[in-house]
Amino acid sequence: MGKQLLLSTQAQIVRTLGRPTPLPASGPELDMVGREISSRLEPDQRLTREWALLLGSAPVAATLTPGAGMPPSPRDFTDRVAVLRQLKREATRPAKGRSRVALLWGPPGIGRRVIALQFASENAGLYPDGQFYVDLRDVAGDQAVEPVVVLQRVLREMNVGPDDLPATELGCQDLYRRLTNGRRALVVINHATTAAQVRPLVPNTPELFLVVVASGPPFALDAERIEVPPLKDRDAKALLKKAAGAENVARAKARLPGILERCEGNGYALRAAAVRLFDAEPPEPLSEPRSLPSDPVRGTVRAVCARLPSPTVRMCRLVALGGWPVVTAELAAWAVAASPEDVAPMLAEAAEAELLQPLGDGGYRFPPEVGRYLADTAGAELGAPACSAAVSQMLTGLLNRAEHAAHAALPQSWRVAEAPERGEPYAGEAEGLAALVAGRVNLLRAIFVAEDYQHIETCLRLARTLWPLVLKAGYWAEALPALQVAARRADERHPESETSAALHFQLAHCLGQLRRWDEAEREAGTAVAHERAAGHLFGEASCVEYLGLLHLYQSKGPEAAQRFAEAGALYRRTVDDRGDDAGADAGEDRQLRRALALLERHTGRALWVNGELAESRRHLGVARAHFEREGEDYNLARTLTDLAETTHTMGRDREALDHIAEAERLLPASASAHRRYLTDLRRRCEATSR
């Protein structure tokens, strides 16, 4: 609906100036067009009232509202007085034109995240406007996270709804700065790996405090760098007493020096050791070979694995091979060829032993260094065939669920595969899309895992299931890296095929939504060429149609109309090429009629922007008749909205109001953005019809 408002503005510019004029792309262009429009407007003129109402219908600026807040700090938090003091000093120092930013860093398991959470808990009064926490491991596992994705995650924590979330990095950064300007808030970003990821979040206001928790060594961020050192023996003992109880620590007094030496003041190692203190006679922990450098986390994991039942350890090693952002019972069951009911107790047992962290809703996650160690040692402990089989089984399971979900989410789309025969189908479109959204981080990760393990066909099939996420759920920035990998592999394995064309088309759609116009047009052009080489006329027409949409959203109405005409000719050629083929599928006929109806709608929109109103109304009428016959309420509502815009521009406000009323009747209650847009459009029609 934001694009619809841009098209409304474009049509109004053409109507005011009497000539095709692209939307301004820079400040000077905006000033020039604004002055020319202003010179043509007179008080009480219909056009003047129309401009006032159109500008008044722009989205209301979002306001900062507290989100879920910070996760709780653990009860066994101990000491860290010096580090907390450094954080407090940076948070409260005189600003003097410098942003308040702190970078917490230290070795794995040392307690960087816990310190940030403790600081937030102790200083909640400093931040009445909210505390906001984002863990980048929630996005795509070990994959690098783009800055725009980080910004969008932060904005979602600030309760910016999906309809109000900007698509571009600059748009997100602008909204973030407007929301936080002058607000006393705390933002914590955990598991950041590069300065580029968090640089757009650096405050432009002294009231905001940004705490970045580095995943590894410090990086070149303009921030107060605060190293988290190991706990001293005195504080390590105190942590053990809080975690295990003083009586258990006293009972293990003879072993305490060895425990402290092995843990080396590492918070994770100490918490895992505290769990072992509950055992009356725990097995002797295994030591690293003398030739290897000391590593308290890896040494702790070795000790924990020696204590746990071998089926639980085997499951953990096999699941760790994928580097999954979320470990579920279903995923673990695929890894070991068991049932979710069988592995659920194992997962709980591993979490109790500190190998896994509970995430809620039955999900878990390995601490980064724990997962890496388990994956690194899986081959030596279990053998390459077992590891390869586990990865293949996890990928197969994820693919099966994703193909079921994608087909349910877009049951009429030829761009997604038919639902597999094996596995449980989803109940409907909403349930299928919800499943894809909920499982998207593991699905995106699976594309990279499939590539790493050379399951290329699986990689390509997984990537094609992303289409509903891209088309209907708006995860363009998150899906982009995975689609780029898959498209590259498709070009190598199946050059100039329908598969490669489909993946380049998805890339074009993502890039177009992100306003990366030149890249989007290149990818769409590649998709056109590959569909043509594959002899897939319907796909070629669809890609040409999308090129037209890219032109339309760049306010290039004439070019868009030309592309739509080319696409229409290609669609109609599919009928001619098929001739009297008795095997023609009725579903194919429906797809073709639907594609032509959508094309009529797009053509009508392009003609409206160009000011060719009568022709626009005619094309939109054809689209309306099709969607009425087929009972497609959603597309009918969108077409009626376009008809309302066109007839309003023609001065037929009574007719426009009828279209608006009918569109509102057809829309579901969840279409809040579209309903708001229709409310503003009605206001414009009513004001100018007086």
Side-chain angles (χ1 to χ4, degrees):
M1 300 318 298
K3 287 185 287 190
Q4 184 76 7
L5 182 59
L6 285 177
L7 292 179
S8 293
T9 307
Q10 174 63 42
Q12 188 75 356
I13 291 173
V14 171
R15 186 180 170 204
T16 304
L17 301 183
R19 67 175 189 276
T21 306
L23 281 173
S26 65
E29 289 179 14
L30 183 67
D31 291 340
M32 183 177 66
V33 173
R35 283 194 298 270
E36 188 173 1
I37 290 171
S38 180
S39 70
R40 298 184 181 222
L41 300 181
E42 298 177 4
D44 297 325
Q45 186 186 44
R46 172 190 163 102
L47 203 56
T48 306
R49 295 197 304 273
E50 175 72 7
W51 267 110
L53 290 164
L54 180 64
L55 295 175
S57 66
V60 177
T63 57
L64 183 66
T65 55
M70 298 285 166
S73 177
R75 291 172 61 88
D76 58 19
F77 182 85
T78 305
D79 187 49
R80 303 303 192 187
V81 173
V83 176
L84 289 170
R85 189 183 298 123
Q86 286 179 275
L87 280 170
K88 184 71 172 286
R89 187 183 305 126
E90 175 66 11
T92 57
R93 64 167 172 77
K96 295 183 179 179
R98 292 186 296 130
S99 302
R100 292 193 171 106
V101 185
L103 178 68
L104 282 173
W105 67 280
I110 201 67
R112 299 155 298 184
R113 169 183 175 273
V114 171
I115 290 170
L117 298 181
Q118 183 69 20
F119 172 82
S121 176
E122 291 182 2
N123 296 278
L126 290 177
Y127 306 108
D129 294 318
Q131 298 182 343
F132 306 94
Y133 176 84
V134 168
D135 190 334
L136 298 187
R137 289 191 71 221
D138 292 342
V139 181
D142 292 334
Q143 301 305 315
V145 183
E146 294 293 319
V148 64
V149 176
V150 181
L151 281 162
Q152 288 177 344
R153 286 295 307 276
V154 172
L155 291 172
R156 288 191 185 102
E157 288 297 315
M158 293 177 172
N159 284 323
V160 176
D163 294 330
D164 301 316
L165 199 65
T168 66
E169 181 179 336
L170 287 177
C172 288
Q173 185 173 8
D174 178 68
L175 178 56
Y176 167 77
R177 288 182 172 173
R178 284 192 285 112
L179 288 176
T180 58
N181 188 29
R183 308 304 290 270
R184 294 167 60 193
L186 172 67
V187 176
V188 175
I189 307 297
N190 192 18
H191 287 115
T193 56
T194 67
Q197 290 176 330
V198 293
R199 196 171 285 124
L201 297 170
V202 171
N204 65 339
T205 179
E207 294 83 4
L208 183 70
F209 186 29
L210 173 65
V211 176
V212 178
V213 181
S215 183
F219 40 75
L221 182 69
D222 185 14
E224 180 72 15
R225 298 188 186 187
I226 302 175
E227 182 179 6
V228 180
L231 286 166
K232 296 176 182 176
D233 280 356
R234 178 185 67 252
D235 299 314
K237 290 178 188 177
L239 190 154
L240 285 171
K241 288 179 181 179
K242 289 180 181 179
E247 65 282 4
N248 287 310
V249 174
R251 192 164 58 240
K253 183 176 180 180
R255 293 184 286 118
L256 202 56
I259 292 172
L260 294 176
E261 182 181 2
R262 285 191 295 273
C263 291
E264 299 182 25
N266 185 281
Y268 168 79
L270 287 163
R271 289 185 176 88
V275 175
R276 299 200 301 277
L277 290 179
F278 286 93
D279 296 338
E281 295 181 3
E284 188 65 25
L286 302 176
S287 300
E288 294 283 357
R290 291 290 183 184
S291 59
L292 295 178
S294 172
D295 187 324
V297 173
R298 292 189 165 222
T300 295
V301 177
R302 287 166 59 86
V304 170
C305 289
R307 165 180 172 269
L308 287 174
S310 58
T312 298
V313 177
R314 180 175 183 273
M315 177 206 68
C316 288
R317 290 190 193 279
L318 293 175
V319 176
L321 288 168
W324 307 107
V326 180
V327 175
T328 64
E330 189 175 44
L331 183 72
W334 291 328
V336 297
S339 70
E341 292 75 21
D342 289 337
V343 301
M346 298 183 195
L347 290 170
E349 188 175 39
E352 181 69 23
E354 299 284 337
L355 288 186
L356 287 167
Q357 298 169 336
L359 299 177
D361 295 328
Y364 299 87
R365 179 169 56 211
F366 290 107
E369 193 63 19
V370 173
R372 278 192 286 269
Y373 177 77
L374 290 170
D376 290 346
T377 56
E381 295 290 335
L382 305 175
C387 294
S388 178
V391 171
S392 179
Q393 288 156 195
M394 287 188 284
L395 290 174
T396 299
L398 286 165
L399 175 61
N400 181 274
R401 301 312 298 144
E403 288 189 332
H404 271 293
H407 177 73
L410 288 173
Q412 296 179 328
S413 176
W414 57 273
R415 290 195 173 277
V416 297
E418 290 293 324
E421 294 182 4
R422 186 175 57 85
E424 292 293 323
Y426 290 92
E429 294 183 30
E431 186 177 324
L433 185 61
L436 283 173
V437 170
R440 72 186 184 282
V441 290
N442 276 358
L443 174 56
L444 293 169
R445 175 65 184 155
I447 293 170
F448 293 97
V449 174
E451 186 207 23
D452 288 343
Y453 282 82
Q454 292 300 300
H455 294 277
I456 302 304
E457 297 303 323
T458 299
C459 171
L460 303 183
R461 288 174 62 185
L462 284 163
R464 295 197 67 168
T465 68
L466 298 181
W467 180 231
L469 281 176
V470 168
L471 180 67
K472 299 182 74 171
Y475 288 98
W476 313 303
E478 287 189 33
L480 189 61
L483 285 171
Q484 288 170 328
V485 165
R488 184 170 63 248
R489 288 302 191 185
D491 288 343
E492 295 168 358
R493 181 66 65 91
H494 303 292
E496 297 187 330
S497 65
E498 291 184 32
T499 296
S500 62
L503 294 173
H504 284 287
F505 180 86
Q506 285 197 55
L507 271 177
H509 189 89
C510 288
L511 292 163
Q513 296 296 333
L514 295 170
R515 311 295 193 267
R516 291 161 61 171
W517 303 118
D518 291 343
E519 294 173 80
E521 288 192 29
R522 282 198 299 272
E523 292 294 339
T526 300
V528 170
H530 288 199
E531 295 281 22
R532 185 179 299 138
H536 187 209
L537 202 55
F538 194 94
E540 181 184 351
S542 176
C543 296
V544 172
E545 177 185 353
Y546 187 66
L547 275 170
L549 287 171
L550 289 174
H551 290 313
L552 180 61
Y553 296 140
Q554 294 176 77
S555 305
K556 300 175 182 177
E559 293 93 330
Q562 181 180 346
R563 289 292 192 180
F564 294 146
E566 293 172 14
L570 288 166
Y571 279 129
R572 292 180 181 92
R573 266 183 55 195
T574 63
V575 179
D576 298 336
D577 287 1
R578 192 169 58 195
D580 297 326
D581 182 4
D585 189 284
E588 293 179 4
D589 286 335
R590 284 196 300 273
Q591 284 184 347
L592 178 59
R593 290 195 302 271
R594 185 172 185 271
L596 287 169
L598 287 169
L599 197 59
E600 291 285 352
R601 178 185 168 234
H602 298 327
T603 302
R605 297 163 79 200
L607 292 168
W608 163 55
V609 169
N610 293 349
E612 300 175 51
L613 303 180
E615 277 296 289
S616 169
R617 185 165 172 261
R618 183 178 68 80
H619 283 276
L620 291 170
V622 173
R624 174 188 182 178
H626 172 84
F627 296 131
E628 282 179 334
R629 283 194 307 272
E630 297 297 322
E632 287 197 43
D633 288 351
Y634 177 69
N635 277 319
L636 179 55
R638 297 193 69 167
T639 305
L640 287 165
T641 302
D642 299 328
L643 271 168
E645 292 271 22
T646 297
T647 51
H648 167 61
T649 306
M650 297 173 77
R652 301 184 178 192
D653 288 307
R654 288 291 92 196
E655 183 181 343
L657 288 167
D658 290 340
H659 294 321
I660 291 170
E662 189 176 355
E664 288 176 325
R665 179 179 59 81
L666 294 166
L667 284 172
S670 59
S672 55
H674 197 156
R675 287 183 171 277
R676 286 199 306 269
Y677 189 86
L678 287 172
T679 299
D680 289 329
L681 181 55
R682 175 189 286 107
R683 190 177 297 119
R684 286 153 52 194
C685 293
E686 291 173 341
T688 54
S689 64
R690 295 170 191 152

